[in-house]
Amino acid sequence: MSADPQRSSVTEPLQPDQDQRKCGNLVAYWILGLCNNFGYVVMLSAAHDILSQNFNQNSEEESSSHSEDNSTRECNPTSTGAILLADILPSLAIKILAPFFPFLVHVRMLMVVVLAAVGFLLVALSTREWIAVLGVACTSLGSGLGEVTLLSYSSVFDKNVISTWSSGTGAAGILGASSYAGLTSLGLSAADSLLLMLIVPVVMAATFWFLLRTPGSRLHAWRSVIHCSNIDEEKTQQRPSSASVTESETSAVESAQLLTVIEKFKSIPPLLVYMIPLGLVYLFEYFINQGLFELIYFPNIWLTLHEQYRWLQVDYQIGVFLSRSSVNLFVVRKLWVLALLQFLNVIFFTFEAVYLFVPSVWIVFAVVLWEGLLGGAAYVNTFYRISVEVPFEKREFSMGITSLSDSIGIGLAGAIALPVHNILCQLPKPY
């Protein structure tokens, strides 16, 4: 009879090497969360620029040309929801398929790194809109594969890696959005800003293969990538007896690997209590971000049209980061409350996009920060609760399949944003 792995870790004191490995893994998962979401955030922050007619130049000339006509709204021909769809649909597809395929973690991570680099290159060097959209899609594939892989892989580590992973993804929002907004504000072109960000996939690769202390040696990990062998089977055969994992953890991992496809499908209905609120929160907030942000414009302030869009994205990501880092302080049990509060934000921003009634941009910045807090709280509390409430043998699959819900919500938000953009852009300015 196998013991509870969490109980074992409490009753048996950690050796110095184990304690060091645990801390290193917490740091590694923070960096992996940062790198995995970085490109995704940057593409959304650059969405308004990518869809403008002169992406590889400074966008501010276009901004001034829009302002010459005071009777119409400042609108791109296409909603930024189009970039959102390109940034989420490939991710959604890979999240649907990945949990049902063999878990070759090192092969998957190699693909994640390559896709991230290709995405930055294609968007930065694009001369046609469709090439830029293809680059966004590559970034989406890499981010989606990275999320479903690393969340599933987290089941063999200490449960607190979920907290550091979530904090890292929140930090990706701040650093991704602010670095893009900051570099372009300093006069660097959008394309050059993206080329500088190629360092991110390099950091991700170094973190996963050199900092993260997985069962088995690093040399074995690299051989697994080269030979595309079944990592989990070889780890079980070559795992050190005392320095890696306990027998109870080994038994639980083997039980998780024995789940059949039918058992996996049967595991989905109990997860809806997590998936539905998370999906709704993401539907509401991404409809705001990619459907309404670009239509909320304060003229004659220190920020241009494009700069307002970028810094609203930064503000939102600050809220996400703060709340994603909060799960060790308090846990939200009633996830549906977060969805309800986010829906109230949709009502507020829809009225603002139509009537532009808010007197100060600072009020909008405050509400956007609140919106980000709700979104980050929904994400981290959902996956933290799964990590402690779902049986270990089902946890890997549950983490991966639940990550579908936010992608479905985001995809629906992008689809809704396209027609809403066209309708609102036909309305005259209210002032």
Side-chain angles (χ1 to χ4, degrees):
M1 183 175 66
S2 61
D4 186 346
Q6 295 182 16
R7 187 175 300 169
S8 298
S9 63
V10 174
T11 57
E12 297 178 9
L14 289 173
Q15 298 298 323
D17 182 63
Q18 292 176 314
D19 193 29
Q20 182 180 8
R21 183 170 66 247
K22 176 182 175 181
C23 293
N25 288 339
L26 293 176
V27 173
Y29 253 83
W30 189 91
I31 298 173
L32 289 170
L34 168 68
C35 295
N36 189 72
N37 279 32
F38 191 91
Y40 169 81
V41 171
V42 167
M43 296 306 171
L44 293 183
S45 298
H48 206 260
D49 297 330
I50 293 174
L51 293 172
S52 65
Q53 297 175 354
N54 50 346
F55 171 65
N56 284 293
Q57 305 172 16
N58 268 329
S59 307
E60 312 309 336
E61 296 176 4
E62 184 182 345
S63 204
S64 60
S65 67
H66 276 304
S67 302
E68 293 175 0
D69 186 359
N70 292 322
S71 63
T72 59
R73 294 171 179 259
E74 292 80 2
C75 291
N76 273 328
T78 306
S79 167
T80 51
I83 296 298
L84 177 61
L85 287 174
D87 210 14
I88 197 60
L89 290 183
S91 175
L92 176 59
I94 203 71
K95 287 180 181 181
I96 291 173
L97 298 174
F100 298 96
F101 282 89
F103 194 70
L104 305 178
V105 62
H106 295 277
V107 177
R108 288 189 183 191
M109 289 306 299
L110 182 62
M111 294 174 63
V112 168
V113 171
V114 171
L115 285 168
V118 170
F120 280 124
L121 286 170
L122 284 177
V123 177
L125 303 178
S126 63
T127 55
R128 297 288 187 273
E129 186 176 288
W130 70 267
I131 298 177
V133 171
L134 179 61
V136 174
C138 287
T139 302
S140 173
L141 280 172
S143 178
L145 182 60
E147 180 176 3
V148 71
T149 299
L150 290 168
L151 279 175
S152 297
Y153 201 38
S154 70
S155 63
V156 302
F157 297 98
D158 183 90
K159 67 179 184 297
N160 285 320
V161 299
I162 293 296
S163 176
T164 57
W165 161 269
S166 298
S167 177
T169 57
I174 295 180
L175 294 178
S178 62
S179 62
Y180 180 79
L183 289 172
T184 52
S185 296
L186 291 174
L188 208 62
S189 70
D192 289 340
S193 299
L194 293 178
L195 288 175
L196 283 177
M197 295 172 184
L198 283 170
I199 188 64
V200 174
V202 176
V203 173
M204 188 177 198
T207 301
F208 183 78
W209 280 297
F210 293 101
L211 179 58
L212 189 66
R213 299 287 298 276
T214 55
S217 66
R218 292 174 185 150
L219 178 60
H220 171 61
W222 278 107
R223 286 174 177 168
S224 301
V225 175
I226 296 171
H227 297 293
C228 301
S229 58
N230 191 320
I231 309 303
D232 296 317
E233 180 180 351
E234 293 187 16
K235 280 179 186 174
T236 303
Q237 296 172 352
Q238 300 184 21
R239 182 176 297 152
S241 58
S242 59
S244 297
V245 292
T246 63
E247 291 182 1
S248 58
E249 288 173 329
T250 302
S251 176
V253 170
E254 289 172 350
S255 298
Q257 293 171 347
L258 292 176
L259 285 176
T260 66
V261 173
I262 295 177
E263 289 173 330
K264 288 180 178 180
F265 275 110
K266 288 181 178 179
S267 299
I268 294 176
L271 297 174
L272 294 179
V273 67
Y274 308 108
M275 297 175 69
I276 292 176
L278 181 64
L280 288 175
V281 169
Y282 272 73
L283 166 63
F284 298 148
E285 72 184 71
Y286 275 86
F287 172 69
I288 295 170
N289 294 358
Q290 306 306 131
L292 301 177
F293 271 7
E294 61 178 322
L295 303 175
I296 298 172
Y297 176 48
F298 290 83
N300 304 320
I301 64 172
W302 73 99
L303 295 173
T304 66
L305 171 64
H306 288 269
E307 288 173 340
Q308 286 181 46
Y309 178 85
R310 296 169 194 155
W311 288 106
L312 283 174
Q313 296 286 349
V314 174
D315 185 35
Y316 160 78
Q317 297 294 351
I318 291 173
V320 171
F321 171 72
L322 292 175
S323 57
R324 286 195 178 190
S325 305
S326 66
V327 73
N328 287 330
L329 300 177
F330 61 89
V331 177
V332 178
R333 299 291 179 186
K334 297 181 179 179
L335 299 175
W336 61 269
V337 173
L338 300 175
L340 176 61
L341 293 173
Q342 200 70 290
F343 178 69
L344 296 179
N345 286 336
V346 171
I347 296 174
F348 171 82
F349 282 106
T350 300
F351 273 89
E352 169 59 13
V354 173
Y355 298 108
L356 300 176
F357 66 92
V358 176
S360 171
V361 68
W362 293 110
I363 297 176
V364 171
F365 274 122
V367 182
V368 169
L369 181 68
W370 167 243
E371 176 211 350
L373 288 171
L374 292 176
Y379 182 92
V380 67
N381 282 280
T382 296
F383 288 108
Y384 181 81
R385 286 184 58 189
I386 290 174
S387 71
V388 298
E389 295 175 7
V390 174
F392 187 91
E393 63 272 13
K394 296 181 179 180
R395 201 174 297 163
E396 175 193 306
F397 173 77
S398 299
M399 290 285 191
I401 204 69
T402 302
S403 68
L404 276 177
S405 57
D406 60 359
S407 298
I408 293 173
I410 295 171
L412 289 173
I416 296 171
L418 293 174
V420 170
H421 171 273
N422 295 334
I423 293 171
L424 294 182
C425 284
Q426 293 175 359
L427 298 177
K429 285 184 179 179
Y431 52 83

